[in-house]
Amino acid sequence: MKALISNDDGVTASGILASKKAVEDLCDTLVVAPEMQQSGIGHALTLYEPLRIKERILRDGSLAYGVTGTPTDAVTIGLFQLLDEKPDLMISGINTGFNIGQAELTTSGTVGAAIEAASFGIPTIAISQEVTKDEIKFENGENDVDFSFAQKMLHKLAKIVLKKGLPEGIDLLNVNIPENPVDDEFEVVKLGYRMYMPVMEKRLDPRGQPYYWIGGEPYESDEKGSDGYELKVAQKTTITPLKIDLTGDLSLLKDFLEI
């Protein structure tokens, strides 16, 4: 059995090495990830410039591949250039910082990589870890986050998925690890409403012309049973089943159009 592992934090990130260590006793692994930090790029695909693959040696001495593109590019190259056959499992992460809520989930490069693999019928896990130090969320390469608990939970889940696959109607699993977990169980939850409330900061350049930074403040109104509440308030490891099919209720539209 084989697992393809990618992320959006870059091929040398600490979290991707933790993912590899989590499953290397369960299956062979291939690490293919963006060469540089790609957080917030979602499911973007590079179409207007060439991609290059660079061999990289991870801190455990193993070989990995850095791709000069997006997480989706990395997964595509892994599946159609570096692998001879479809892997039994795809893991995206472990991401530095959580990925929760309906509104921002598709902007996540971690989830974008996972969606790409899942679209080819590969059982897929997107996994992220809460961190409270905002300054490290967008760092490139190694950081000092302790991923040991996330690594343990990923091992537990990957073992199940490799044995059973995913249930019919579920394309991928979105997992979020709290910074201070209260137990080692998975809490099955729905997506909350938002991860952040947008904040726009306007500044002036040296010539007096305006420019803008997009930021956000944490959304604090998640209801019980949602990923945001159970992760941030209850400090539970959350797991949400996701589907790629975004089709809404056809009958409602037909009634609306009076077809």
Side-chain angles (χ1 to χ4, degrees), residues 2-20:
K2 187 154 229 170
L4 173 64
I5 303 174
S6 194
N7 70 357
D8 72 353
D9 288 331
V11 68
T12 60
S14 298
I16 202 168
L17 183 58
S19 284
K20 176 181 175 292

Side-chain angles (χ1 to χ4, degrees), residues 51-202:
L51 298 171
R52 300 186 188 278
I53 306 172
K54 301 180 180 181
E55 292 189 357
R56 301 296 297 267
I57 302 300
L58 301 182
R59 292 187 302 283
D60 66 349
S62 63
L63 177 66
Y65 297 91
V67 174
T68 58
T70 70
T72 298
D73 295 330
V75 171
T76 303
I77 283 177
L79 292 177
F80 295 100
Q81 183 64 39
L82 299 176
L83 284 170
D84 295 326
E85 58 185 4
K86 190 164 73 171
D88 303 280
L89 174 67
M90 190 272 169
I91 298 168
S92 184
I94 302 166
N95 188 66
T96 303
F98 51 62
N99 279 296
I100 57 176
Q102 303 169 33
E104 292 94 343
L105 205 64
T106 55
T107 68
S108 163
T110 303
V111 177
I115 288 173
E116 185 64 16
S119 72
F120 295 104
I122 300 164
T124 300
I125 300 169
I127 180 167
S128 307
Q129 177 163 319
E130 178 187 31
V131 294
T132 52
K133 295 189 292 185
D134 285 342
E135 66 272 15
I136 69 172
K137 290 180 182 178
F138 303 111
E139 286 182 356
N140 193 69
E142 186 177 359
N143 61 44
D144 61 359
V145 175
D146 181 4
F147 288 105
S148 57
F149 180 77
Q151 187 174 315
K152 180 178 101 170
M153 296 299 283
L154 177 56
H155 180 274
K156 180 192 294 190
L157 181 59
K159 190 173 183 179
I160 296 170
V161 174
L162 282 169
K163 181 179 180 180
K164 298 182 177 180
L166 292 180
E168 185 73 26
I170 296 175
D171 296 315
L172 63 151
L173 302 173
N174 189 46
V175 179
N176 283 278
I177 307 293
E179 192 166 50
N180 298 295
V182 296
D183 58 36
D184 60 356
E185 301 297 324
F186 290 103
E187 189 78 9
V188 178
V189 296
K190 64 181 181 179
L191 292 176
Y193 180 54
R194 300 199 67 91
M195 185 160 58
Y196 294 105
M197 289 302 295
V199 174
M200 292 294 301
E201 185 173 343
K202 180 180 179 180

Side-chain angles (χ1 to χ4, degrees), residues 36-52:
M36 301 296 291
Q37 167 68 252
Q38 294 283 316
S39 290
I41 205 160
H43 196 201
L45 186 68
T46 301
L47 298 177
Y48 298 106
E49 56 187 68
L51 298 171
R52 300 186 188 278

Side-chain angles (χ1 to χ4, degrees), residues 23-39:
V23 299
E24 60 188 359
D25 68 327
L26 301 175
C27 58
D28 295 330
T29 59
L30 176 68
V31 175
V32 188
E35 181 70 10
M36 301 296 291
Q37 167 68 252
Q38 294 283 316
S39 290

